[in-house]
Amino acid sequence: MAIIIDGNELSRKKREDIKEQAASFATRYSRPAGLAVVLVGEDPASAIYVRNKKKACENTGIRSFDYHLDVATGREELLSLVKQLNGDPEVDGILVQLPLPAHLDSQEILLAIDPGKDVDGFHPYNMGRLLTGEPTLVPCTPAGIMCMFREYQVELKGKDAVVVGRSNIVGKPMALLLMMEHATVTICHSRTRDLDRKVKAADIVVAAIGKPDLIRGSWIRDGAVVIDVGMNRTDAGLKGDVEFEEAKNHASLITPVPGGVGPMTITMLLDNTLRAAKSHVS
Ligand code: GUN
């Protein structure tokens, strides 16, 4: 039976540490670290994420600047806000919540963010740094997963890792971080053939494809480590990408949904904001 990774507890511990660092930062530089959160439109899931991010900032001593724009906001207006935030010395981090309404080109907006304030790590500069093995600001979800591996002393060197999902937000940066720790990485996605065979061979499985219970519990090799990034709203409630009840009989370590990866993502956003703040004063 697997040990269940407690993302809430790990998050609480990390946030205590970040809170102390945020307080010394504020004392030393006579201002708190600041995060600007930009939400365009009324997507209910995004509104919840943004609310949780702001709350986490307040509880940690990071100042949050809240920009909630109308769904009809135009490209120029949003670009001009990003430019204003780039130049604001009280703003250390800028987060534009995705997805943006369809009339806005998210790649163009992300490109406009100062890479030094890109606390999501989505700017091509930060992505490129990660690709070349010199990471700066790293995307929060994969960074949080690496933190879990460290905390639970998961050895990655020489291990076979399978990442299911190839998004810029999770799958791609996750694969790069695992490779940096000397894992042998296979990236699978919606067109992958024989997904079951690939998962069955994995020591580490990171599921980030957004399909409830896609990864059957019986596919999990005995002793494997299973990280479930899925957040799928179904009639039966919130579900991960992994069939948890069966998978936990095979895995040595597994994350639950909710209470696994989710809280760590926000914790790493706070961590990135503080990192960015420190780089702005040094
Ligand atoms: N939408 C879903 N996840 C994320 C995230 O980590 N950052 C932003 N900005 N938008 C998201």
Side-chain angles (χ1 to χ4, degrees):
M1 190 70 115
I3 293 172
I4 314 287
I5 295 178
D6 188 342
N8 285 319
E9 173 56 22
L10 180 54
S11 248
R12 197 193 51 71
K13 215 166 80 178
K14 277 283 293 176
R15 285 186 204 191
E16 284 294 309
D17 180 44
I18 296 170
K19 193 172 176 172
E20 276 176 29
Q21 291 183 52
S24 358
F25 180 93
T27 309
R28 182 149 177 213
Y29 300 104
S30 309
R31 68 163 181 96
L35 172 67
V37 179
V38 181
L39 172 64
V40 185
E42 306 297 333
D43 177 62
S46 290
I48 294 172
Y49 288 138
V50 163
R51 191 164 356 112
N52 289 339
K53 287 169 185 176
K54 282 191 298 208
K55 207 160 24 158
C57 280
E58 280 154 28
N59 292 338
T60 323
I62 292 173
R63 182 167 174 205
S64 77
F65 300 87
D66 181 17
Y67 295 88
H68 188 175
L69 309 182
D70 189 88
V71 66
T73 299
R75 162 182 180 274
E76 283 76 21
E77 195 185 335
L78 184 54
L79 284 172
S80 135
L81 172 62
V82 168
K83 211 166 152 187
Q84 175 203 319
L85 296 171
N86 283 343
D88 186 336
E90 295 199 324
V91 171
D92 297 294
I94 302 169
L95 180 148
V96 177
Q97 185 66 28
L98 302 178
L100 286 169
H103 68 278
L104 293 165
D105 174 356
S106 35
Q107 222 32 53
E108 182 189 28
I109 305 299
L110 295 179
L111 199 58
I113 297 175
D114 174 350
K117 296 192 176 188
D118 169 40
V119 285
D120 264 326
F122 296 164
H123 189 286
Y125 173 80
N126 288 317
M127 286 284 190
R129 294 286 303 217
L130 179 57
L131 186 69
T132 52
E134 295 174 324
T136 38
L137 290 166
V138 174
C140 302
T141 299
I145 294 169
M146 295 309 284
C147 186
M148 284 176 162
F149 288 144
R150 278 193 297 278
E151 182 71 16
Y152 284 83
Q153 291 166 12
V154 175
E155 172 72 279
L156 298 170
K157 199 188 321 180
K159 295 292 171 68
D160 291 319
V162 165
V163 178
V164 186
R166 54 177 157 175
S167 68
N168 290 340
I169 295 181
V170 184
K172 285 182 207 165
M174 185 77 252
L176 293 168
L177 289 167
L178 286 164
M179 238 189 301
M180 280 179 70
E181 294 302 321
H182 315 292
T184 303
V185 182
T186 304
I187 304 181
C188 300
H189 46 77
S190 54
R191 316 290 164 84
T192 296
R193 277 184 293 159
D194 302 328
L195 179 62
D196 57 340
R197 192 164 51 77
K198 292 177 171 78
V199 171
K200 280 175 185 167
D203 302 305
I204 317 271
V205 180
V206 180
I209 196 152
K211 295 213 163 51
D213 289 349
L214 177 82
I215 313 289
R216 313 308 300 180
S218 59
W219 298 356
I220 303 301
R221 180 170 164 175
D222 283 339
V225 175
V226 178
I227 306 293
D228 192 348
V229 185
M231 290 274 245
N232 307 294
R233 275 162 244 273
T234 73
D235 292 341
L238 191 63
K239 278 206 160 280
D241 291 347
V242 179
E243 188 195 15
F244 180 83
E245 282 309 318
E246 177 61 21
K248 77 176 187 328
N249 298 327
H250 301 282
S252 59
L253 279 169
I254 188 167
T255 59
V257 176
V261 173
M264 283 305 289
T265 295
I266 297 190
T267 301
M268 299 318 285
L269 173 67
L270 303 171
D271 193 57
N272 274 351
T273 303
L274 203 58
R275 249 174 234 268
K278 287 175 182 170
S279 80
H280 295 145
V281 291
S282 63

